[in-house]
Amino acid sequence: MLVAAAVCPCPPLLVPDVAAGAAPELDAARAACTDALGVLAAARPGRLVVVGPVESAGPETYPEGTRGSFRGFGVDLDVRLGRVAGAPADQRLPHALAVAAWLLERTGWSDAPVEGLGVGDRLEPERCGRIGRDLAARAERVALLVMGDASACRTLKAPGYLDERAAPFDAEAARALAAADVAALMALDTGLARELKSSGRAPWQVLAGAAEGEDLDGSLLYEDAPYGVGYLVATWS
């Protein structure tokens, strides 16, 4: 069963080495992510599953020990998902899960075994929900670290340019995450999310599926749109 979840944004800029001189601009987001991971640790899960977006349809699994890198961003920085080595050498974490691995390393996560799951933006809500329910049933106490961004169309300089639908989409996602509203997350429109370049829709709906039938409380720790991209940090416990 799902006992806790943390929702975090997944831009590589969250890693100070990648952001370089712009790193202080996301200090508040990093602090909120640290607090969110603290909620996961306090729940004492038996297993942690990191869920994040991938470019393929997915789902794609990443065992504990899978390595990731930020070398593609010009930074000599490698990470590993969890503390156990031995994952296939030819498998690499996608960027969203590499950011998650960095967050876990940064906070010294050692509370439970970790594995990763990548989901694509074309997975239908019903499939995401089934995946979430399967994850929650895999152990007596499961926690999720859910990586994903809201829209990327909040300003003229945003990656997806300005779209007047972006702010309402982000506001509804923030409200649903703050309230642990499973139905509202499942109702997020797949096509609209893709048009607004939101990488969080599918991971959030996996969370919604995992939380079905559980009486969890939500809390929104951070909400902002630096660089025209909606970043949300929330906890369910």
Side-chain angles (χ1 to χ4, degrees):
M1 63 178 288
L2 182 71
V3 295
V7 175
C8 294
C10 61
L13 287 173
L14 204 61
V15 179
D17 287 356
V18 175
E25 297 177 21
L26 291 181
D27 279 349
R30 293 184 195 97
C33 291
T34 297
D35 291 343
L37 265 63
V39 171
L40 294 186
R44 302 179 65 84
R47 177 165 296 276
L48 174 65
V49 182
V50 180
V51 182
V54 292
E55 293 184 1
S56 65
E60 296 182 3
T61 59
Y62 300 88
E64 185 162 22
T66 305
R67 292 188 172 275
S69 173
F70 295 98
R71 296 176 188 271
F73 299 95
V75 175
D76 186 13
L77 177 64
D78 297 321
V79 292
R80 184 172 67 194
L81 189 64
R83 296 180 176 273
V84 177
D90 60 346
Q91 189 174 27
R92 307 293 288 181
L93 294 173
H95 292 144
L97 296 191
V99 173
W102 176 82
L103 286 171
L104 292 169
E105 289 184 3
R106 179 174 183 256
T107 55
W109 179 268
S110 59
D111 299 83
V114 184
E115 61 187 274
L117 178 70
V119 290
D121 68 359
R122 294 189 179 275
L123 280 181
E124 297 181 350
E126 293 78 9
R127 179 79 184 282
C128 293
R130 289 197 300 272
I131 291 170
R133 290 189 290 273
D134 289 344
L135 291 179
R138 289 178 58 184
E140 184 176 349
R141 299 182 64 81
V142 176
L144 298 183
L145 173 54
V146 182
M147 308 298 292
D149 301 336
S151 73
C153 302
R154 292 284 293 274
T155 66
L156 293 173
K157 294 184 178 180
Y161 196 65
L162 177 64
D163 191 314
E164 62 183 12
R165 300 171 297 172
F169 177 90
D170 290 0
E172 175 58 14
R175 188 206 64 77
L177 291 171
D181 189 334
V182 168
L185 284 182
M186 291 302 294
L188 292 176
D189 186 84
T190 302
L192 178 60
R194 190 180 305 122
E195 290 175 11
L196 297 176
K197 302 185 183 301
S198 169
S199 64
R201 190 275 308 170
W204 298 338
Q205 290 179 336
V206 170
L207 165 61
E212 283 183 4
E214 306 296 343
D215 186 19
L216 300 178
D217 294 323
S219 179
L220 188 66
L221 307 185
Y222 178 85
E223 178 185 6
D224 203 355
Y227 316 114
V229 182
Y231 295 153
L232 303 170
V233 180
T235 59
W236 291 14
S237 62

